[in-house]
């Protein structure tokens, strides 16, 4: 019996990313849970495109997946993230930041520790808080 040996490694020779450890489905769940909550939120609901929630869901998932070392779909579809610029025409007040992070914390809480081990959970949360702080653009 011959064992096929390919000279090309199936995985690029690099350390595993957080995305590799956690997987696409976990990011899909977090972002899906978040967008389930958006329409009924009194502050955020009116800001998001009711006619394109599926598109908005894709964009946030692509961004997070890309940031954490997964496929670079966000850059391919949307170009450089430039998140502060992309949020300028939304009123990201301290109140909106609070609502966004509260809904995201509820969404993260729906994912089991098995699918999202504590160190990965903390790293994802820490990044979200830092980005949310950076996005505030109105008093
Ligand atoms: C602080 C409160 C925030 C508010 C009020 C807010 C609001 C919004 C709104 C209304 C959109 C448009 C939805 C769409 O059509 O895609 C959006 C897009 C987006 N937001 Fe936020 N956001 C906040 C925080 C964040 C944070 C913390 C992140 C990342 C960790 C983030 C990442 C994104 C991304 C990647 C998009 C899609 C950008 C694009 O491709 O055009 N946002 N946000």
């Amino acid at each position: 019996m011959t064992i096929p040996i390919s000279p090309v490694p199936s995985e690029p020779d690099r350390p595993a990313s957080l995305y590799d450890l956690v997987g696409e489905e976990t990011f899909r769940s977090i972002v899906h849970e978040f967008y389930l909550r958006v329409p009924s939120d009194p502050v955020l609901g009116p800001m998001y495109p009711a006619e394109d929630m599926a598109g908005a869901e894709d964009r946030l998932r692509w961004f997070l997946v890309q940031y954490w070392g997964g496929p670079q779909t966000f850059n391919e579809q949307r170009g450089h993230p430039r998140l502060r610029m992309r949020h300028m025409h939304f009123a990201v007040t301290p109140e909106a930041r609070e609502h966004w992070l509260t809904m995201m914390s509820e969404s993260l809480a729906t994912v089991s520790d098995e699918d999202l081990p504590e160190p990965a959970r903390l790293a994802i949360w820490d990044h979200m808080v830092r980005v949310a702080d950076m996005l505030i653009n109105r008093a």
Side-chain angles (χ1 to χ4, degrees), residues 34-35 43-44 46-49 52-53 55-64 74 77-78 81-83 86-87 89-101 104 124 127-133 135-136:
F34 179 81
Y35 277 101
V43 175
L44 299 186
M47 292 170 66
Y48 283 79
D52 187 26
M53 290 304 258
E57 191 170 323
D58 283 343
R59 290 185 280 276
L60 181 57
R61 188 184 66 259
W62 292 337
F63 172 78
L64 293 173
F74 187 91
Q77 299 289 331
R78 307 290 292 163
R82 290 181 300 173
L83 283 192
R86 287 184 198 265
H87 284 76
H89 52 281
F90 304 120
V92 185
T93 59
E95 186 192 29
R97 169 209 177 266
E98 207 55 42
H99 281 242
W100 198 99
L101 286 174
M104 188 48 89
I124 290 174
H127 170 248
M128 282 167 170
V129 173
R130 282 187 288 114
V131 175
D133 287 346
L135 290 180
I136 294 174

Side-chain angles (χ1 to χ4, degrees), residues 62-116:
W62 292 337
F63 172 78
L64 293 173
V65 159
Q66 171 172 306
Y67 179 82
W68 289 109
Q72 304 292 294
T73 314
F74 187 91
N75 275 9
E76 286 162 21
Q77 299 289 331
R78 307 290 292 163
H80 190 280
R82 290 181 300 173
L83 283 192
R84 201 169 146 78
M85 193 270 292
R86 287 184 198 265
H87 284 76
M88 271 306 169
H89 52 281
F90 304 120
V92 185
T93 59
E95 186 192 29
R97 169 209 177 266
E98 207 55 42
H99 281 242
W100 198 99
L101 286 174
T102 300
M103 287 199 313
M104 188 48 89
S105 135
E106 288 168 11
S107 308
L108 284 166
T110 66
V111 179
S112 73
D113 283 345
E114 200 181 315
D115 291 336
L116 187 60

Side-chain angles (χ1 to χ4, degrees), residues 5-9:
I5 298 172
S6 161
V8 182

